[in-house]
Every structure is written in structure tokens, then in C-alpha cells.
Amino acid sequence: MTPLMKSMFGMAFCINLARRTDRWSAASDEFKKARLDVRRFDAIDGADYPSHLVPESAPLRWPITAGPYCCLLSHLSVISFAKNADLPGVMIFEDDLWLSPDFRERGDAFLREVPDNWDMIYWNGKVMLDRAVLSNEVTRPSYVYNCFAYCVSRKAYDRCIEALRTKMHWNDQLLAGLHPQMYVYMPRVPFAWQRSDLGSDNKDKHGRDHPAQHTGVAKERSDLSRKGGLPVGGLDPHVQFPIRPAS
């Protein structure tokens, strides 16, 4: 990480299942290319988790099963570790991502303009409502879905941990539910993307991927060529989602 990233986040982790060495290899290549020091965090495996220990969720279109439940527990474990280690913040990645080679440079340019009051930062994700433009680099979204690349500040640890401990929904939505009461920031133009060519381990009881698994994604790296690196069908902030001036 750059000195600025180190001062804001302390450490960076990538959540990865021990049996998905293919995904860790691919993610490691991305971190090396982007010159990021990211440590592997051993994910809790839903394939080995007894189904009777998965709590019954609220009535949902996409009910919680062992896979997404253990994904939630893995994210909860990372944030709990960051709190116990008293890190100033933590950067969290999942292992199905692509990063721009200039992630460090573009990341620093973005972070220099992020207000000091930040609670969470999403490097990319699906903006469900709208987002206000704060500067050339920074937007403030109302509600962001997807947790493949995000950051949590020290002052937001307890709120994130409390939300995830409810275990009543997918982790993406539990964290997104906090956003209306948080200071959440996101780059105006993304330089991290979720990839969809590695296969998801988070399925519902019918074997379907949750829609969050396909937000801001690209199936091939060549998909990132349109509009200066924005994924086809993904997050084009100038076209797909409303952006309003900051009030």
C-alpha cells in the first residue's frame, strides 16, 4: 500500500477459501500488478458448514444458505480482527476482482479528496439510489450493494459488526442498510471491478447466484476497454446511475 493508504487502512486483506487456490492465484496476480500488499484471510467454507447451524433468515427472495452465511461470517471476522488490532481502518477484498495497474496512483488521488469523516469506502459496487458528486474524484452514494472491494474506518467497526451479527440477510445488504446514516464515499470513475468468470461459491437453495454477485462485473478483461476502462454493463457513473451535485 502507499503511505496514504497505510495511514488510513493499516492493513489490507483478501478473503479466500482454502480450496479455491485458483481464485487466490488470480487475485494475487492482480495485487502484484497493482503493487498492493494484501494478506490472504482464510474464509469460512460453507461447503463444510452444517446446514442446521445456519440461522433462519427473514422471509427473503434470496434466502440465506451455508455459502452466503459463511461469507457473512468471513467478512465479520475480518472487521472484528481489525477492531481487535486497533487498526485505523481496514481494506477488504474478495478474490474475484480485477484492478487497474495504476490502482495506487488513482487510489491516492481519490483518497486525498475523501473527507476526513469517512465511515466506509467502496472502490466499486452497485449504486442502488443515487450519489452526489463532491469533487472530480469523489462521490457520496446513498446505498451501495456489493462487498468485493471496500474499506471500513475505525469509527465504523462497531456499527458494521453489530449489523453483521444480526445474520438476517446477505452481508452486502446488511452493510448497505447502514449507509443512509453513514459517510460513504466512492470514486467517480472506478478502477476496481468484480469478475464473473471464476464461478461463485455463494448460491441460494436453488443453486442460483444472488444478484449482488453480478453488479459492476465484467466477464473478460477486454470488457474493461469501453469508456476508459469501465466494464460493459457495469458501473458507468455518467450513464447508468443518477449523479447529482452535492447540496
Side-chain angles (χ1 to χ4, degrees):
M1 292 192 288
T2 66
L4 177 57
M5 292 178 185
K6 188 75 173 178
S7 70
M8 292 181 67
F9 310 128
M11 298 179 72
F13 295 98
C14 177
I15 297 171
N16 168 255
L17 291 167
R19 60 184 167 85
R20 293 305 304 265
T21 56
D22 58 326
R23 292 172 71 121
W24 176 241
S25 178
S28 296
D29 287 345
E30 293 299 306
F31 300 138
K32 182 178 180 180
K33 176 189 66 180
R35 294 170 294 137
L36 291 179
D37 179 18
V38 180
R39 302 189 184 193
R40 180 182 174 275
F41 196 97
D42 197 20
I44 301 170
D45 197 339
D48 301 326
Y49 201 84
S51 59
H52 69 277
L53 295 181
V54 178
E56 185 174 350
S57 60
L60 300 170
R61 181 181 176 188
W62 303 90
I64 293 292
T65 55
Y69 177 64
C70 288
C71 179
L72 180 156
L73 293 179
S74 299
H75 282 263
L76 174 59
S77 296
V78 176
I79 298 172
S80 297
F81 174 89
K83 177 186 176 181
N84 292 336
D86 196 29
L87 298 178
V90 63
M91 191 186 307
I92 303 170
F93 295 104
E94 293 180 344
D95 56 9
D96 52 345
L97 79 167
W98 277 318
L99 300 177
S100 174
D102 58 356
F103 185 97
R104 283 166 55 102
E105 293 76 17
R106 295 177 67 181
D108 270 6
F110 164 73
L111 293 174
R112 281 193 290 268
E113 297 186 16
V114 169
D116 292 338
N117 64 0
W118 73 277
D119 292 307
M120 297 185 73
I121 288 170
Y122 281 74
W123 296 111
N124 201 342
K126 185 170 184 179
V127 180
M128 302 299 287
L129 299 175
D130 65 354
R131 50 181 169 150
V133 175
L134 303 186
S135 71
N136 288 335
E137 298 285 345
V138 179
T139 66
R140 183 180 177 188
S142 303
Y143 187 102
V144 185
Y145 210 98
N146 199 300
C147 291
F148 80 95
Y150 70 107
C151 310
V152 182
S153 73
R154 176 190 281 129
K155 65 188 179 74
Y157 289 156
D158 286 340
R159 282 174 287 173
C160 291
I161 289 169
E162 182 179 3
L164 292 174
R165 280 180 175 168
T166 66
K167 302 173 184 176
M168 295 296 289
H169 215 309
W170 294 59
N171 61 287
D172 308 76
Q173 185 141 347
L174 290 173
L175 293 179
L178 299 172
H179 295 169
Q181 291 80 45
M182 277 186 165
Y183 293 100
V184 180
Y185 301 104
M186 185 176 182
R188 184 167 183 171
V189 178
F191 37 91
W193 302 270
Q194 186 176 29
R195 58 191 299 178
S196 62
D197 60 338
L198 295 175
S200 172
D201 293 285
N202 287 345
K203 309 284 186 180
D204 72 1
K205 65 180 180 180
H206 303 295
R208 302 172 299 180
D209 292 349
H210 190 278
Q213 297 298 122
H214 300 289
T215 56
V217 303
K219 292 183 179 179
E220 303 289 344
R221 188 176 291 276
S222 59
D223 290 346
L224 307 180
S225 61
R226 189 179 67 88
K227 288 185 178 289
L230 294 171
V232 174
L235 295 182
D236 184 339
H238 305 294
V239 176
Q240 189 170 5
F241 300 104
I243 288 188
R244 55 183 170 80
S247 56

